[in-house]
Amino acid sequence: MTPLTESGARSHVSGVCFKIGPPRLVGVEVEWFVHDDRCPGRPVPPELLHAALESLPLGGADGTSLPSGSRLTLEPGGQVELSSPPATGLLACVEDTRRDLTALRAAFAAQGLRLTGTGTDPLARPRQMVLDHPRYLAMERFFDSAGPWGRVMMTGTASVQVCLDAGDAAGPHAVERRWQLVHRLGPVLVAAFANSPLLDGKPTGHRSTRQTVWSRMDPTRTLAPEPDHGDPREAWAQYVLDAQVLCVQRPEGLPWTAPAGLTFREWTRGTGERPPTLADLDYHCTTLFPPVRPRGHLELRMIDAQPGDGWVVPTALVTALLDDPVAAATALAALEPLDCASGPRPPRSGVWRRAATLGVADPELRRAALTCFAVADAALARLPGAGRLRAAVAEFAERYPARGRCPADDQLDALRSGTRRTPPEEAS
């Protein structure tokens, strides 16, 4: 393969990671912990996980996805991730994902397994890697060199990831405006949907322990890009080049570990065992985990996993705020006071830390959340057929941010009262 130059890498990233066009598609990735009702305090054996997955009624054009087109992956700690296909609009996305989740839950229930939606595994059970793919072994070694947080992330966290088109070249849906909006919105999403107050069976002092874990990992791949770049494509290209290389793909039987401290920029300049290729660059991008990751579309990664069908609310909220031009403009202006461009980069800035620790008990974040929910409600009222989604978003707003609460508070209340189920009861 042709060696990749630094300028070639920058050009490729700028062109591939932001696909320009009018917003149209919506997707969601939903992660779940798996618990065995017969012995919830123990890790689920990998063979039982595979048996549940193999029993699913797979279909789709390639025969490997669920009937509506969602794809399933097994995460390093045994978490299951369902990734919906890109759908034309919010309503189709929710309908497709619901259908495939119904099949997923039934298959796991038949094996005595429960899907638990929470940002961190709340149980004091051993965390272990259930996958031995070279990628995850290299990742484990890379993160272990800097403390425990990488292993906690890999084996003990789960999320809801909302995916939307990057945006247009200009106008109300310009890429730059959408990029700015999702980053301003980030701490509000962390706070409103915080759902990980427990780790190893104990309160951590953080409403979103998951977000706190991510903020303590390798900053070259978990912080947001520098905010002072006017063009997000250029900012992202610089970010990719400056991130440390986590793994290098090698032939079967050889480890994928990378030289310590090697950035991709240095690799293109001749440091490393061989020159990098375009395939190396594309794979390197899959090992970067900022709060918002451009993958042609925008992937929002800061939302804790939610119980039951709770994933619907953040999906509807984010889509309404970004894809309705009136809502986008109103939200962007309303969230401006939360912008921390002059301080540490998200998620290490003060407002992001407050969001992870306090949730919407923080007065500033509560006000911002209530504004966002009200703006989204108005946008959903303008979307034909969205009555049920609008009602779900309004119900969540009344139950949580209007009362200064988030889903994490339900877990803490149950723990204090001694009524917490092991594992937590899933809402239907």
Side-chain angles (χ1 to χ4, degrees):
M1 293 186 180
T2 304
L4 187 65
T5 64
E6 182 177 342
S7 62
R10 184 186 298 110
S11 176
H12 177 74
V13 169
S14 298
V16 167
C17 292
F18 291 85
K19 296 190 182 300
I20 305 302
R24 186 173 63 91
L25 301 178
V26 181
V28 63
E29 301 175 15
V30 191
E31 293 178 339
W32 307 90
F33 290 104
V34 182
H35 294 101
D36 190 333
D37 278 338
R38 295 157 294 196
C39 45
R42 299 179 185 176
V44 177
E47 56 271 20
L48 199 55
L49 292 171
H50 288 294
L53 291 172
E54 290 167 4
S55 70
L56 282 162
L58 299 180
D62 58 4
T64 62
S65 58
L66 287 163
S68 290
S70 299
R71 298 188 65 86
L72 295 173
T73 51
L74 198 60
E75 296 299 302
Q79 308 95 312
V80 173
E81 180 181 87
L82 183 147
S83 302
S84 78
T88 303
L90 173 62
L91 301 182
C93 172
V94 171
E95 181 180 350
D96 290 346
T97 307
R98 281 187 192 274
R99 184 181 301 114
D100 286 348
L101 271 174
T102 297
L104 180 65
R105 289 188 178 107
F108 274 67
Q111 299 289 335
L113 303 178
R114 175 191 296 271
L115 299 178
T116 303
T118 181
T120 50
D121 189 343
L123 300 187
R125 58 177 184 167
R127 285 193 297 272
Q128 62 185 33
M129 298 275 286
V130 301
L131 301 178
D132 59 0
H133 190 280
R135 170 189 173 97
Y136 296 123
L137 297 178
M139 188 179 291
E140 182 181 37
R141 179 174 176 179
F142 178 92
F143 287 128
D144 279 353
S145 66
W149 306 112
R151 186 179 290 263
V152 174
M153 177 275 290
M154 295 174 69
T155 61
T157 65
S159 68
V160 173
Q161 298 172 18
V162 182
C163 302
L164 297 171
D165 284 326
D168 221 335
H173 292 304
V175 168
E176 291 81 3
R177 288 173 59 85
R178 288 167 72 84
W179 182 253
Q180 187 180 41
L181 176 53
V182 291
H183 283 90
R184 286 186 183 175
L185 184 60
V188 173
L189 298 175
V190 172
F193 299 103
N195 188 37
S196 51
L198 307 176
L199 188 66
D200 293 332
K202 300 176 182 178
T204 65
H206 301 272
R207 295 299 195 277
S208 178
T209 303
R210 173 187 169 275
Q211 184 60 51
T212 300
V213 167
W214 279 101
S215 71
R216 293 177 177 176
M217 292 166 53
D218 172 26
T220 74
R221 64 186 358 93
T222 60
L223 296 188
E226 291 287 355
D228 54 357
H229 283 284
D231 185 347
R233 289 160 290 193
E234 177 61 22
W236 180 245
Q238 296 295 341
Y239 184 96
V240 170
L241 288 170
D242 289 334
Q244 294 184 37
V245 178
L246 187 150
C247 60
V248 178
Q249 293 176 287
R250 295 188 178 89
E252 185 176 354
L254 295 178
W256 286 18
T257 50
L262 176 70
T263 68
F264 202 91
R265 189 188 303 278
E266 292 167 341
W267 197 5
T268 65
R269 293 178 176 180
T271 304
E273 62 193 59
R274 60 168 175 79
T277 66
L278 197 59
D280 291 319
L281 176 59
D282 288 337
Y283 201 83
H284 173 64
C285 289
T286 71
T287 70
L288 306 179
F289 312 110
V292 181
R293 182 166 66 176
R295 303 181 63 187
H297 57 272
L298 301 180
E299 179 185 81
L300 281 68
R301 304 178 51 85
M302 72 288 289
I303 304 168
D304 281 358
Q306 301 293 298
D309 283 338
W311 58 271
V312 171
V313 176
T315 304
L317 179 77
V318 171
T319 306
L321 292 177
L322 263 74
D323 285 2
D324 181 290
V326 175
T330 305
L332 188 61
L335 293 168
E336 186 174 3
L338 295 180
D339 196 13
C340 297
S342 61
R345 286 150 57 194
R348 295 191 179 184
S349 62
V351 68
W352 283 74
R353 291 198 303 269
R354 297 199 324 265
T357 303
L358 302 173
V360 286
D362 178 271
E364 185 181 24
L365 284 162
R366 181 185 180 189
R367 286 192 298 270
L370 289 173
T371 298
C372 287
F373 274 87
V375 172
D377 178 75
L380 291 170
R382 293 188 287 269
L383 180 63
R388 287 181 60 194
L389 291 181
R390 185 186 179 194
V393 172
E395 181 182 354
F396 185 97
E398 175 59 30
R399 179 176 178 181
Y400 293 114
R403 303 179 185 183
R405 293 174 58 86
C406 56
D409 292 303
D410 292 345
Q411 291 195 44
L412 292 171
D413 287 349
L415 184 68
R416 295 186 191 104
S417 66
T419 60
R420 180 169 70 91
R421 176 173 174 156
T422 306
E425 183 67 67
E426 278 291 280
S428 60

